[in-house]
Amino acid sequence: MNHAYGKSMLFLILMSTTLLVGIALAGEPGATTTGQVRDRWAQINYQVPKAQRESAFEELARQAAKIRETHPRDASALIWEGIVLSSLAGEKGGMGALGLVKRARADFEAAIQIAPDALDGAAYTSLGALYYQVPGWPLGFGDDDKARAMLRKGLAIDPDGIDANYFYADFLLDQKDWTGARAAFQKALAAPARPGREVADAGRRREAESKLKDVAEHLAN
């Protein structure tokens, strides 16, 4: 066989195999992507009735876990599993939520080790949110100093982002820093729109507007 012809045939065979693998993966039934988890999270969080959210988040958590298991070194997959688990914990409440937030913390910490800048520093912002929302010792691992440090790292990566500013504002509100919270909520409301994240942006803005009213009342008194 001509050597050049043989190399050409081998190249064509390899290319055909690659294309077939790509088509098979793209058409795999039931496959869920991180983007689909992200979009479904926004729908559940902002559009699904309260009574249905827990079961919806439980199903989404199973889907997110499958993606993370398939791509254990994908920081985005870890972050979104952590966000879903955190949201599920919020719906469950009580001591039953503690195991979920511990799993979420582990996801965020793993994501930071792999790619700290992933999703505009969302792992830092989400981890910071956990630290100020979870009770402290002996019930949980809450820690306001760690919360502030993580939230500021998230802001350093995404200084104009809606989520980074919203959660920092909410933390300052929790600390009764009314002036700081007002400035941060206003910055969250001024954040640029995220293409493809319209549902999440609209929901987050409603939350920021509601809490900004509370801050304004405290400052007026």
Side-chain angles (χ1 to χ4, degrees):
M1 179 185 291
N2 180 278
H3 183 65
Y5 175 77
K7 288 181 66 178
S8 298
M9 286 299 295
L10 178 61
F11 175 76
L12 288 172
I13 291 169
L14 289 173
M15 284 299 294
S16 298
T17 303
T18 302
L19 287 172
L20 286 171
V21 170
I23 291 168
L25 289 173
E28 184 181 348
T32 305
T33 66
T34 302
Q36 288 171 321
V37 170
R38 177 200 68 194
D39 295 343
R40 179 59 178 153
W41 173 87
Q43 291 172 351
I44 297 170
N45 205 49
Y46 295 117
Q47 297 179 338
V48 169
K50 172 71 174 175
Q52 300 171 21
R53 281 184 212 153
E54 183 176 338
S55 60
F57 276 132
E58 284 176 342
E59 175 57 30
L60 189 60
R62 286 189 285 270
Q63 295 175 17
K66 288 180 181 178
I67 298 173
R68 188 257 308 149
E69 289 165 2
T70 305
H71 305 285
R73 296 291 298 171
D74 184 338
S76 297
L78 286 160
I79 290 168
W80 273 108
E81 183 186 41
I83 290 172
V84 173
L85 290 171
S86 299
S87 299
L88 176 57
E91 294 301 323
K92 281 186 175 295
M95 293 304 295
L98 187 56
L100 293 169
V101 293
K102 286 181 176 178
R103 287 168 57 194
R105 177 180 61 173
D107 278 341
F108 297 140
E109 290 174 342
I112 288 169
Q113 291 300 313
I114 295 168
D117 292 354
L119 302 182
D120 296 322
Y124 282 123
T125 298
S126 300
L127 187 56
L130 282 186
Y131 274 122
Y132 78 82
Q133 292 175 0
V134 171
W137 188 89
L139 295 177
F141 57 82
D143 186 312
D144 287 344
D145 290 337
K146 288 182 179 180
R148 189 184 298 273
M150 294 296 106
L151 291 167
R152 284 179 171 173
K153 286 184 178 181
L155 274 171
I157 295 170
D158 191 25
D160 298 319
I162 188 169
D163 286 338
N165 281 286
Y166 172 83
F167 282 107
Y168 187 56
D170 196 46
F171 167 72
L172 295 177
L173 177 61
D174 186 66
Q175 299 292 300
K176 297 181 172 52
D177 179 354
W178 313 118
T179 302
R182 178 176 61 183
F185 277 129
Q186 289 172 338
K187 193 167 184 181
L189 289 169
R194 298 175 292 184
R197 302 291 310 280
E198 290 80 9
V199 173
D201 282 354
R204 190 67 80 203
R205 286 195 170 92
R206 287 194 299 271
E207 291 174 330
E209 288 168 351
S210 176
K211 293 193 174 184
L212 189 56
K213 289 179 181 178
D214 293 339
V215 171
E217 289 177 4
H218 280 285
L219 288 171
N221 292 333

